Amino acid sequence: MKRTLITGAAAAAVLAIAAPAMAQSAADVYKDRTVTILVGYGAGGTYGQTALLLSQHLGKFIPGNPTVIVQHMPGAGGIKATNYAYNVMPKAGHNLLVPPEMSVVSQLLRPNRVKYVTTGFTWLGTVFGANQVMIVRRDTGIRSIDDLKKKEIIVASTGTGSPTYLVPAMMNGILKTKFKVVTGYKGSAGTSLSVEQGETFGMSNSWVSWKANRPQWFQGKSDDFAVKLTQVGFTKEPDLQDLPLLTELATNPDDKAAAAMLSTASVIGRGLVLPPGAPKNLVAPLRAAFDKTVADAAFKADAEKRKLPVVPIGGAELQKTITDAIATMSPTAIAKAKQYVFGQKVHKRGK
């Protein structure tokens, strides 16, 4: 009897010691701790601004009320940070990623360079999505897509995984435009500045970022600094109903499907994910914290000050949308998109 009692006690002790961290409550995990939000871009664009906004409000809705800070890891249009998050980022739940809006596109088009699987992340939600809008300086003389088929225009890009590269490259393939895309700029602030200073003459950026950071370029006047050429998304921006979607400009099914691939960016937008392997019992409280954050009046007021929209999508819905998009993507469309993007020479800044 005594031996049985000792064995039972020992077994209980072993089980207690072996209990994984994931058995801790969310409050235990986050109390007196710091949560780090990783961003694959510089601080000046809407990625950095959204991450900073979340860092100032998210902690009060996470059980245990942790401190939340932002870390930047620019490179390759966000791929560098996303690869790091998938393979190296600590998985205890104290580290989150703001995923690039082109995460799905990069996974499908760059399987050798991308070291992540988009569906392997746990999506907590997105603050907002936005269409990409391709623009050129008005003083280039370009006024239409047809003009772009006759004249080479140098445009700025952060890297080949970024929409600043993928959008003009896809336009070259689908519409036969003549963009010369130069990579190596840092964030949307760096690319926009290069256009403003005349080092380059156009770029693609989210409509939200354009309105927040360069509203003076788009006053609706005949002498505006910039000319809008097309937008990339599933539906048109409410205030850009006269600007055609890239899918509308494409003339055959394969090209339309290749263009639609880029539209996943408008859904992913600016949000948060957990890396693979994070404790599953943290998913529900973190998704709930995200939902409460984006619904909070103080959060919305601060977003408005930064000229950032709040049009959220919940984590579970977003996870399903991304999973379905990848599962139904046409192999023919992927092959066509690869042909368009990788069949062009990459020009690097300063070389």
Side-chain angles (χ1 to χ4, degrees):
M1 177 69 70
K2 184 176 181 181
R3 180 180 179 184
T4 302
L5 290 173
I6 293 175
T7 303
V14 169
L15 288 173
I17 294 172
M22 65 180 292
Q24 291 181 294
S25 70
D28 290 335
V29 171
Y30 292 111
K31 183 176 175 57
D32 299 323
R33 296 299 299 269
T34 296
V35 171
T36 300
I37 297 176
L38 180 65
V39 186
Y41 300 88
T46 56
Y47 283 95
Q49 293 176 38
T50 304
L52 182 60
L53 177 66
L54 285 167
S55 74
Q56 294 170 345
H57 294 270
L58 183 63
K60 64 186 176 183
F61 295 107
I62 296 176
N65 305 125
T67 299
V68 183
I69 64 173
V70 177
Q71 178 183 353
H72 296 273
M73 186 186 288
I79 292 178
K80 178 180 178 181
T82 310
N83 284 343
Y84 170 84
Y86 193 86
N87 297 284
V88 182
M89 177 180 280
K91 304 179 185 303
H94 302 115
N95 297 80
L96 307 173
L97 171 73
V98 178
E101 59 192 344
M102 289 291 178
S103 297
V104 170
V105 176
S106 295
Q107 177 187 327
L108 295 175
L109 297 188
R110 302 173 180 278
N112 295 326
R113 187 172 185 184
V114 163
K115 306 302 179 185
Y116 65 82
V117 177
T118 311
T119 52
F121 290 107
T122 298
W123 298 75
L124 303 182
T126 187
V127 178
F128 67 88
N131 288 358
Q132 285 288 312
V133 174
M134 188 73 210
I135 66 97
V136 296
R137 289 174 57 125
R138 185 171 294 276
D139 59 12
T140 60
I142 299 296
R143 299 291 183 272
S144 68
I145 297 296
D146 285 339
D147 291 338
L148 284 169
K149 298 176 182 179
K150 304 168 187 174
K151 181 179 181 180
E152 182 179 82
I153 297 293
I154 298 172
V155 296
S157 170
T158 56
T160 54
S162 163
T164 55
Y165 180 84
L166 293 167
V167 171
M170 197 73 79
M171 288 178 67
N172 283 348
I174 294 172
L175 305 177
K176 311 307 177 188
T177 53
K178 294 185 177 181
F179 289 121
K180 177 181 178 180
V181 188
V182 178
T183 63
Y185 292 91
K186 292 187 177 181
S188 59
T191 46
S192 298
L193 185 61
S194 77
V195 177
E196 200 163 49
Q197 295 179 337
E199 183 178 342
T200 61
F201 301 93
M203 62 175 285
S204 179
N205 202 0
S206 71
W207 185 232
V208 168
S209 183
W210 282 134
K211 292 195 293 185
N213 299 310
R214 292 296 190 280
Q216 68 275 17
W217 289 12
F218 308 97
Q219 299 298 312
K221 300 176 181 178
S222 60
D223 60 347
D224 275 353
F225 178 83
V227 176
K228 302 183 292 291
L229 298 165
T230 187
Q231 57 182 313
V232 179
F234 290 116
T235 59
K236 293 181 178 181
E237 291 281 354
D239 51 348
L240 295 178
Q241 291 299 305
D242 293 332
L243 187 66
L245 294 165
L246 183 56
T247 49
E248 294 175 330
L249 296 174
T251 57
N252 66 66
D254 286 343
D255 283 350
K256 286 182 179 293
M261 183 188 301
L262 295 182
S263 298
T264 56
S266 66
V267 178
I268 292 174
R270 309 291 186 268
L272 287 176
V273 299
L274 273 167
K280 294 185 183 301
N281 70 309
L282 297 180
V283 175
L286 286 178
R287 282 180 172 173
F290 186 94
D291 292 344
K292 291 176 183 177
T293 300
V294 296
D296 182 60
F299 178 88
K300 291 180 179 179
D302 282 353
E304 186 175 359
K305 291 176 184 177
R306 290 177 167 86
K307 299 181 180 179
L308 296 173
V310 180
V311 189
I313 301 175
E317 179 184 351
L318 189 58
Q319 192 100 36
K320 184 179 186 304
T321 299
I322 292 168
T323 300
D324 291 347
I326 292 176
T328 58
M329 197 65 68
S330 161
T332 304
I334 295 172
K336 180 74 75 171
K338 284 183 179 180
Q339 174 188 335
Y340 289 154
V341 172
F342 300 123
Q344 303 179 41
K345 181 180 179 180
V346 177
H347 303 274
K348 296 184 178 180
R349 186 185 184 194
K351 294 184 179 180

